[in-house]
Amino acid sequence: MDEVTALPRPRNPPVPDDPLTCEPQGCPWNAVRHSLESVNTPIGVIGGSGMYRLLTDAEPLAIDTPYGPPSEAPARGLLGGREVVFLPRHGADHRFAPHRVPYRANIWALRALGVRQLVTTCAVGGLLPELSAGSVVVPDQVIDRTWGRDHTYYDVEGPVVHLPFADPYCPRGRRAAVAAAQAGPLPAVDGGTMVVIQGPRFSSRAESRRNAQDGGTLVNMTAMPETALARELALCCTTLALVTDADAGVESGEHVTQDAVFELFARNVSQLSGILEATVAALPEDECDCQHVLDGQKLPFDLP
């Protein structure tokens, strides 16, 4: 197993006089960056339920971060003819509940390994009758209803960082994902608003109705703060969401169960993997505006 070491960071680290131009000896995060100059893994993939064994002949990479270890050691391999680093969101044994996933460590680890474009997959509930189970949605918006999660990197003393989040997902990544989904075997939907709930319980019918009335079309437990953290580290982020159920039955019908979600995801994981592979293959190789969102910002620490 290759090992990449990230130095531990206190909760409120000392802020360099000029964190954007600090010398390697004066800024501990440069040690991480310099040690990774030869690593070239431009596409990151975070898998949701059921997608833990995506790559064959994968090479595990041991890495720690200032926020602790990621959910699992990332695995480096090939997918769609591109070099990929894959990380299972909940851990290989699904041990992290949605509100306990180490989101900051996961995104930091991927960037430290050279990732600048990120594709995530997840299971979602549908809030519209036309979003039948087995559909693939490429969302373009989120509503965050989580609480108590470590939702930002910029909670340290130092320069305050405000970033735009009007359009949470990468437009170029979304175009690639929509084209791949529309060419795939599952019903595809371009666009959707993902309401991210705290979990781990599912919604009540009243909560589902409120989420739909507020403009939500999908319900999920993990897209936030994951998507926002990717923006904070200047990563392009694109999501493929597999509809597994009608959330709480919305108005009527059976309530959702964990077994039903896992069963439907497992039944469609090979088709979703094909769409993911086509998405990764189609992602542009040049830089995107998402990767320049921090340009001109004075940061409280160096990026990995």
Side-chain angles (χ1 to χ4, degrees):
M1 179 183 291
D2 286 357
E3 183 170 357
V4 182
T5 302
L7 300 178
R9 191 187 77 170
R11 180 73 175 176
N12 290 295
V15 180
D17 291 338
D18 186 356
L20 293 180
T21 59
C22 60
E23 294 299 321
Q25 294 80 8
C27 184
W29 312 126
N30 279 318
V32 181
R33 182 166 53 213
H34 292 297
S35 71
L36 294 165
E37 286 179 344
S38 62
V39 179
N40 179 24
T41 52
I43 309 297
V45 175
I46 294 180
S49 305
M51 298 197 72
Y52 297 127
R53 290 173 291 274
L54 182 64
L55 304 179
T56 57
D57 300 323
E59 174 193 11
L61 302 169
I63 183 170
D64 201 1
T65 80
Y67 307 96
S71 298
E72 204 69 55
R76 178 167 55 198
L78 292 176
L79 182 69
R82 306 283 290 274
E83 194 170 6
V84 164
V85 174
F86 173 69
L87 199 159
R89 180 185 291 114
H90 297 279
D93 53 359
H94 209 93
R95 65 188 179 276
F96 290 108
H99 64 295
R100 297 185 64 86
V101 171
Y103 295 101
R104 293 197 296 186
N106 287 351
I107 302 299
W108 187 279
L110 290 176
R111 183 176 171 99
L113 291 169
V115 166
R116 297 298 180 268
Q117 297 187 84
L118 175 64
V119 182
T120 72
T121 65
C122 62
V124 298
L127 291 171
L128 299 177
E130 56 267 31
L131 292 179
S132 59
S135 300
V136 175
V137 182
V138 184
D140 60 345
Q141 284 295 324
V142 295
I143 297 174
D144 187 4
R145 291 202 163 120
T146 65
W147 52 270
R149 304 182 183 192
D150 291 326
H151 66 281
T152 181
Y153 293 106
Y154 302 114
D155 60 350
V156 297
E157 294 181 6
V160 177
V161 180
H162 297 290
L163 294 178
F165 200 59
D167 298 301
Y169 296 101
C170 175
R172 300 201 308 174
R174 284 196 68 258
R175 284 195 293 271
V178 168
Q182 290 176 340
L186 301 175
V189 179
D190 178 4
T193 296
M194 188 129 63
V195 180
V196 190
I197 62 175
Q198 177 69 359
R201 68 169 178 83
F202 295 113
S203 301
S204 69
R205 294 189 195 276
E207 289 169 333
S208 291
R209 288 194 295 268
R210 182 194 66 171
N211 290 333
Q213 290 167 357
D214 287 348
T217 58
L218 308 167
V219 173
N220 167 264
M221 298 181 189
T222 58
M224 294 292 287
E226 190 172 81
T227 306
L229 292 171
R231 176 62 53 86
E232 288 193 345
L233 293 189
L235 302 184
C236 301
C237 184
T238 304
T239 292
L240 294 167
L242 178 66
V243 180
T244 59
D245 58 274
D247 188 60
V250 186
E251 292 295 343
S252 61
E254 296 183 1
H255 61 80
V256 62
T257 67
Q258 176 174 296
D259 288 344
V261 170
F262 285 5
E263 191 277 330
L264 190 138
F265 203 102
R267 194 166 67 240
N268 290 280
V269 69
S270 61
Q271 295 93 324
L272 184 62
S273 296
I275 295 171
L276 172 61
E277 182 173 1
T279 300
V280 167
L283 288 176
E285 297 187 13
D286 56 332
E287 290 188 351
C288 173
D289 288 345
C290 302
Q291 299 170 40
H292 293 278
V293 70
L294 295 173
D295 289 1
Q297 292 270 13
K298 190 173 183 179
L299 307 181
F301 49 77
D302 265 14
L303 298 177

